[in-house]
Amino acid sequence: MTINFESKKKYNVIGTNPIRHDGYDKVTGRAIYGADVKLPGLIWGEVLRSPYAHARIKSIDTSKAEKMDGVFAVITSKDIPINKNRSGIDVNLKRDVDNILAYEKVLYKGHPVAAVSAADRNTAKEACKLIEVKYEILEPVKNVDEAIAKNAPILLEDIEADHLGKTVNNTNIAKHFRHELGDANNEFKNSDYILEKEFNLQMVHQGYIEPHNATAHWDENDHLSLWSSTQGMFAVRDLTAGFLDLPISKVTSNYVEIGGGFGGKTKVYLPPVAAILSKKSGHKPVKIIMDRISVFQGSGPAPGGKIIVKIGVTNEGKINSGAVDIKLEAGAYPGSAIPAAAVCCLACYNIPNIRVDAYDVLVNKPKSAAYRAPGSPQVSFAVESVIDEICEKMTWDKIDFRIANASKEGTRKPDGVLYHKIGFIETLEAAKNSDHWNSKIDKKDKNKIYGRGIACGYWHNGGNRSTVDLILQDDGNIALNEGSADIGGTRTSISMQVAETLGMPVESIHPSIPDTDKIGFTATTGGSRTTYATGYAGWEAANKLIEEMKKRVSILWEEPEEEIDFADGNFYSKKSDLKMNIEELATKINPTGGPVTSTASVNLSAAGNGFGIGICDLEIDPHTGKTDVIRYTAVQDVGKAIYPQYAEGQIRGGAVQGIGWALNEEYYIEKDGTMANTSFLDYRMPTALDMPNIDVIMVEVANPLHPFGVRGVGEVPIVPPLAAVGNAIKDATGSRIYSTPMKPRKILEVIDNG
Amino acid sequence: MAKLFLPYHLKKATNDEDYVEVKGKNLREVIDNLEKMYPGTKEYLVEENRIKPGLAAICGYSATRKGLLQELEDDTEVHFLPSIAGG
């Protein structure tokens, strides 16, 4: 279902649901993923990982492994080229390289310590067992409370942390910054009601189906070719080149399909390891595939943490002051999502006085990575729970209160930046008018209890660099090359924008994703940026192609270019009846100067602020605590849905992941700091059988920064479900849970305790 | 003149003003002029002749992609904020 708030031009291609270009390959199994890459002479790599969450490496003896039959090479961090001179390495690069092969210390269970290449995978695994590592075991830091406690073990002994502009050593708080608007602390005195609550969240994983993998071939010409499952092949190229001290022109990163990423495949783990093994194995190509345990233990999850929210309101129903204290788990190295969390926390509301303190906290868990709207689900769980509680206390309508306080054009976000045109109020009104909000909960079972919750969420969406090349083929079709990894159907969404601009059917556009040597730099697919930014590049390339084709028409018609118009796929003479479509032109084009091509590279700023709302009905078995979502509606301002089925699919997927985060998912950490639930049997993600059909209402308030109004879709929908589920549990049980996951044990506790 | 909204800890250097108005036709000139007005501020914003890694300069509504070369019109708001990545 789509609601339009503005009359727009009718599109021919945009807004339709064509057969996706990569559809047949994917459903028939022909599509090539990282694990499918086969090269002549391919051998296998395996990674030895730390059994301890925090330990000093005393020694590594690889001699027995090296002597094993079938083994080609064994490497440790000393084999990484930039480690030859550590004093000269940029600190961020040093942290990244230490994460792929530990240097002196291991900082989480699963931290890579060494790697082996061998003739086959089993031999490589067996050889890993022969590597003797002596550790001095250290006390693990398991959460933010332990990390900031007095006399806490320090993870990074060389840290120079920035705390509000001051350099601090000997700390696990890697960064502390503050946003301040007005005078929040003072203005709470003018609030008629103030609510302050603390929330705790556990680390969760993106749970992509395809594990991390890499194949590397460092050939005799000193050229490195890489294939890996990634959201950004240029990031793989650049980071691997950096680790190996190679110029980027010596590294080619090849595109392979990706079986899910959700932000988790924006990091680089295996390609540099496979590359070094390849070189040390006589230039044989080496493949490494993580098993699921390694994925959980060794690849970046989304941070857990502690969030304290304080909101003050007046009797007139206005939020006059808000303060949020955010401590997120960075994992073993700095870099949690606190910059985004600090903006997203109160971004839905027009609050004149805001104070946000954000802390990036080191703990002995894998270095955190992005996960759909990184940082926003955590803080929105906290803020939207408090908003819900305030509305109940003050007996205010939960949507009307939000509309009265909603951000709109001209509102300042918590970081002080002004919004341009946004569609949050329209989204709230769509939720208010929805069938779901205006229907009663379907209470089928008298033995169960039922509740409904609503919550909102924000994500800014991204821009960044993208390149698209177009080639007019002799038969009138268009070859399209683009550099974005296709994780959500973007081949088609970009092709549709090109097709719309050229006035052609999308079936005439043939998209490809070449390697990094054959297309201009394109940033990682993430931040909901690709349909926006690479689509923008496609639109620009198509317009350039039109201008180039006009020159050729001018030659053929012997008329000045200025006298030629283009509309809906046809060239027209302004002064005669001459008319020609692109297909006809293609057949005549060679004598006019050879092939017609165009290229466009863009470097765009943020895509345009997306807002979403979740309405959740759930059913609880009061005897077991088992909770089932029985109805969920996601309402979202998408700007413009280029491919509505894809956009709806993104929204449904995000909602389901958010519901799993709310109800079941967590890194269950033992006393020794190790993760106990490293399989999908024990790390419970929702399946199709657990979920009702997710209803989607797309609101289209066009983004003024994009030719077709695109805002970006993929991240917003994961934000509202945590609080929507929590608010529904409160509605059902009468008690609120202030931590995730809201699992059966906690639900029974709140039912028992009233 | 551009309106510069500085990180919290730099507000102390600018007498706790919400923003400071600084002349300059691009970001480089504005930061250089800010340094003349409030010595010591530039080192928090610029490193090796570019915006410091980890910082984003928001000019108007969104982060500039032109770095210090970003042209600025009168009354443009400039915010220096921790840079944000997506998933």
Side-chain angles (χ1 to χ4, degrees):
Chain A
M1 177 180 174
T2 302
I3 297 174
N4 283 291
F5 279 86
E6 295 175 351
S7 62
K8 295 193 190 72
K9 181 189 165 189
K10 282 288 286 179
Y11 295 118
N12 295 318
V13 179
I14 287 171
T16 65
N17 297 298
I19 292 173
R20 57 192 288 176
H21 296 83
D22 53 333
Y24 286 116
D25 283 350
K26 284 185 174 162
V27 299
T28 57
R30 285 199 301 262
I32 301 297
Y33 291 80
D36 298 323
V37 173
K38 292 183 176 68
L39 299 174
L42 184 76
I43 61 173
W44 283 82
E46 191 61 43
V47 175
L48 176 70
R49 295 174 182 275
S50 167
Y52 304 112
H54 195 189
R56 204 174 302 283
I57 299 170
K58 305 293 283 184
S59 64
I60 305 176
D61 182 353
T62 60
S63 57
K64 288 180 186 167
E66 286 167 6
K67 288 173 190 161
M68 185 175 171
D69 280 350
V71 169
F72 289 94
V74 183
I75 63 167
T76 68
S77 63
K78 289 176 183 165
D79 295 288
I80 299 177
I82 62 164
N83 277 340
K84 309 284 184 208
N85 178 18
R86 300 255 311 169
S87 61
I89 310 177
D90 168 79
V91 67
N92 293 320
L93 190 61
K94 187 162 70 174
R95 306 293 188 216
D96 283 342
V97 80
D98 290 354
N99 194 37
I100 63 161
L101 274 175
Y103 188 87
E104 295 181 347
K105 274 182 94 176
V106 289
L107 295 171
Y108 52 93
K109 182 173 180 179
H111 197 158
V113 174
V116 172
S117 60
D120 60 78
R121 200 174 184 184
N122 287 334
T123 303
K125 284 184 177 178
E126 289 303 310
C128 280
K129 294 176 186 170
L130 297 178
I131 298 171
E132 294 174 359
V133 187
K134 288 184 180 164
Y135 296 98
E136 174 194 348
I137 301 170
L138 303 170
E139 184 185 346
V141 173
K142 301 188 290 295
N143 53 53
V144 295
D145 288 332
E146 292 182 5
I148 62 177
K150 199 176 175 186
N151 298 323
I154 299 299
L155 272 73
L156 301 175
E157 283 125 3
D158 61 345
I159 195 165
E160 293 183 345
D162 178 350
H163 291 187
L164 295 178
K166 290 182 182 162
T167 301
V168 177
N169 306 111
N170 201 34
T171 178
N172 288 323
I173 298 174
K175 191 174 183 68
H176 170 208
F177 67 85
R178 177 176 296 160
H179 293 320
E180 196 171 61
L181 292 180
D183 186 352
N185 285 350
N186 206 35
E187 283 300 315
F188 279 119
K189 293 172 192 162
N190 297 321
S191 302
D192 294 307
Y193 179 67
I194 299 169
L195 186 65
E196 180 173 349
K197 292 290 178 184
E198 177 184 304
F199 298 81
N200 287 279
L201 298 97
Q202 297 302 316
M203 195 167 246
V204 297
H205 201 272
Q206 300 85 351
Y208 33 80
I209 293 170
E210 180 202 25
H212 288 275
N213 55 68
T215 301
H217 186 204
W218 196 325
D219 68 24
E220 291 81 354
N221 294 319
D222 214 23
H223 190 95
L224 175 61
S225 298
L226 300 167
W227 296 258
S228 69
S229 179
T230 176
Q231 292 174 234
M233 56 188 178
F234 284 91
V236 168
R237 180 196 69 177
D238 293 356
L239 280 169
T240 304
F243 295 157
L244 304 182
D245 207 13
L246 285 172
I248 56 170
S249 56
K250 285 280 190 184
V251 183
T252 302
S253 180
N254 295 276
Y255 180 71
V256 286
E257 302 296 345
I258 175 170
F262 313 111
K265 287 180 181 164
T266 56
K267 299 286 181 199
V268 174
Y269 303 103
L270 296 176
V273 176
I276 300 168
L277 286 171
S278 173
K279 187 173 187 180
K280 287 198 73 175
S281 303
H283 302 286
K284 294 183 188 309
V286 175
K287 181 190 284 189
I288 308 176
I289 301 177
M290 283 192 196
D291 58 19
R292 183 60 58 184
I293 294 173
S294 301
V295 171
F296 275 120
Q297 291 183 336
S299 69
K306 181 186 291 291
I307 297 154
I308 300 170
V309 177
K310 182 178 180 183
I311 288 177
V313 294
T314 64
N315 284 332
E316 290 71 40
K318 286 286 188 179
I319 305 173
N320 72 321
S321 199
V324 185
D325 184 286
I326 305 162
K327 294 185 177 74
L328 291 186
E329 296 171 332
Y333 298 100
S336 73
I338 53 166
V343 178
C344 294
C345 58
L346 296 171
C348 289
Y349 303 109
N350 183 6
I351 307 175
N353 302 286
I354 289 176
R355 183 183 177 112
V356 179
D357 278 284
Y359 303 83
D360 190 32
V361 184
L362 300 169
V363 294
N364 287 117
K365 295 177 184 175
K367 176 179 164 59
S368 66
Y371 181 18
R372 268 186 148 142
S376 191
Q378 294 94 323
V379 291
S380 298
F381 171 58
V383 168
E384 289 296 303
S385 298
V386 168
I387 294 286
D388 194 71
E389 208 162 323
I390 289 173
C391 288
E392 288 182 349
K393 170 74 179 175
M394 305 299 278
T395 63
W396 289 333
D397 181 90
K398 292 176 181 179
I399 294 185
D400 287 344
F401 173 75
R402 287 178 166 95
I403 290 174
N405 289 281
S407 291
K408 52 183 181 286
E409 186 171 3
T411 296
R412 284 197 189 280
K413 291 189 272 187
D415 59 3
V417 178
L418 293 165
Y419 282 114
H420 56 69
K421 189 177 181 185
I422 56 175
F424 185 38
I425 290 176
E426 291 86 341
T427 310
L428 282 162
E429 284 169 347
K432 186 176 178 179
N433 295 326
S434 67
D435 178 65
H436 189 165
W437 190 249
N438 292 290
S439 305
K440 290 185 175 173
I441 304 173
D442 185 12
K443 299 181 180 179
K444 282 182 181 167
D445 188 339
K446 288 179 183 171
N447 296 315
K448 305 280 177 65
I449 55 176
Y450 294 83
R452 172 172 293 171
I454 186 168
C456 304
Y458 163 82
W459 182 248
H460 59 279
N461 298 319
N464 216 327
R465 287 174 284 174
S466 285
T467 305
V468 168
D469 296 341
L470 300 178
I471 304 163
L472 175 63
Q473 308 280 36
D474 288 353
D475 62 0
N477 287 315
I478 302 290
L480 183 159
N481 288 329
E482 49 108 346
S484 291
D486 185 350
I487 64 173
T490 48
R491 280 182 181 91
T492 305
S493 69
I494 295 159
S495 296
M496 289 172 77
Q497 293 176 70
V498 169
E500 186 70 51
T501 310
L502 294 175
M504 301 172 79
V506 71
E507 292 77 14
S508 298
I509 313 295
H510 300 272
S512 300
I513 308 170
D515 66 53
T516 50
D517 293 340
K518 299 181 182 69
I519 187 79
F521 183 93
T522 299
T524 295
T525 297
S528 305
R529 63 171 293 280
T530 302
T531 295
Y532 168 74
T534 311
Y536 197 114
W539 171 78
E540 206 168 286
N543 279 304
K544 286 183 178 178
L545 197 73
I546 291 167
E547 291 309 307
E548 188 57 33
M549 287 189 288
K550 272 186 185 175
K551 290 178 188 168
R552 307 305 181 90
V553 174
S554 157
I555 294 169
L556 291 169
W557 287 350
E558 297 180 357
E559 289 188 6
E561 275 175 63
E562 311 81 69
E563 297 295 330
I564 297 166
D565 269 345
F566 177 82
D568 299 326
N570 291 294
F571 296 93
Y572 300 89
S573 168
K574 289 179 185 173
K575 61 181 186 182
S576 68
D577 293 335
L578 287 168
K579 178 185 170 187
M580 186 189 296
N581 64 28
I582 291 176
E583 205 169 302
E584 289 174 76
L585 173 63
T587 62
K588 300 172 181 172
I589 214 155
N590 278 332
T592 66
V596 174
T597 64
S598 70
T599 187
S601 293
V602 299
N603 192 2
L604 303 177
S605 35
N609 302 304
F611 292 86
I613 296 162
I615 307 170
C616 174
D617 291 355
L618 51 75
E619 173 188 271
I620 298 173
D621 183 332
H623 303 293
T624 65
K626 183 175 186 297
T627 302
D628 291 303
V629 172
I630 56 171
R631 187 176 185 186
Y632 190 96
T633 300
V635 191
Q636 186 173 327
D637 173 21
V638 299
K640 179 66 193 173
I642 299 295
Y643 191 136
Q645 279 184 1
Y646 273 7
E648 288 185 9
Q650 288 275 345
I651 292 169
R652 289 195 177 95
V656 171
Q657 287 186 308
I659 290 167
W661 193 337
L663 287 174
N664 298 311
E665 295 176 38
E666 65 177 316
Y667 269 48
Y668 192 92
I669 301 296
E670 302 278 21
K671 286 180 182 170
D672 65 357
T674 65
M675 183 188 183
N677 51 336
T678 54
S679 78
F680 279 138
L681 283 176
D682 298 315
Y683 184 95
R684 180 72 165 83
M685 298 190 82
T687 68
L689 295 176
D690 298 309
M691 287 292 124
N693 183 42
I694 307 286
D695 293 319
V696 176
I697 300 173
M698 291 193 290
V699 176
E700 293 187 329
V701 177
N703 174 15
L705 301 177
H706 190 273
F708 301 116
V710 171
R711 286 189 190 274
V713 171
E715 292 174 282
V716 170
I718 200 174
V719 183
L722 281 72
V725 168
N727 294 341
I729 290 171
K730 164 65 172 58
D731 188 44
T733 65
S735 299
R736 187 173 297 281
I737 298 173
Y738 294 95
S739 63
T740 60
M742 292 169 272
K743 52 191 176 184
R745 178 178 59 74
K746 292 181 189 173
I747 289 174
L748 287 179
E749 280 173 10
V750 297
I751 291 173
D752 291 345
N753 296 333
Chain B
M1 288 198 284
K3 293 177 178 173
L4 260 63
F5 292 72
L6 296 169
Y8 173 81
H9 63 275
L10 286 186
K11 280 189 180 177
K12 297 277 178 285
T14 58
N15 306 321
D16 260 342
E17 297 289 341
D18 283 343
Y19 61 87
V20 288
E21 292 191 300
V22 186
K23 285 182 182 172
K25 66 176 186 293
N26 60 30
L27 204 49
R28 184 193 308 280
E29 284 186 13
V30 163
I31 292 173
D32 286 342
N33 289 333
L34 178 76
E35 175 69 12
K36 287 175 193 163
M37 296 161 65
Y38 302 102
T41 49
K42 184 176 177 179
E43 67 174 301
Y44 289 103
L45 306 175
V46 174
E47 185 179 290
E48 293 177 357
N49 216 19
R50 59 183 179 142
I51 297 168
K52 208 166 188 173
L55 265 189
I58 315 296
C59 299
Y61 295 111
S62 46
T64 177
R65 298 286 171 191
K66 295 182 176 177
L68 297 175
L69 299 176
Q70 176 65 49
E71 311 87 359
L72 297 173
E73 294 176 6
D74 266 1
D75 292 332
T76 301
E77 290 192 2
V78 180
H79 300 256
F80 292 96
L81 300 168
S83 54
I84 294 175

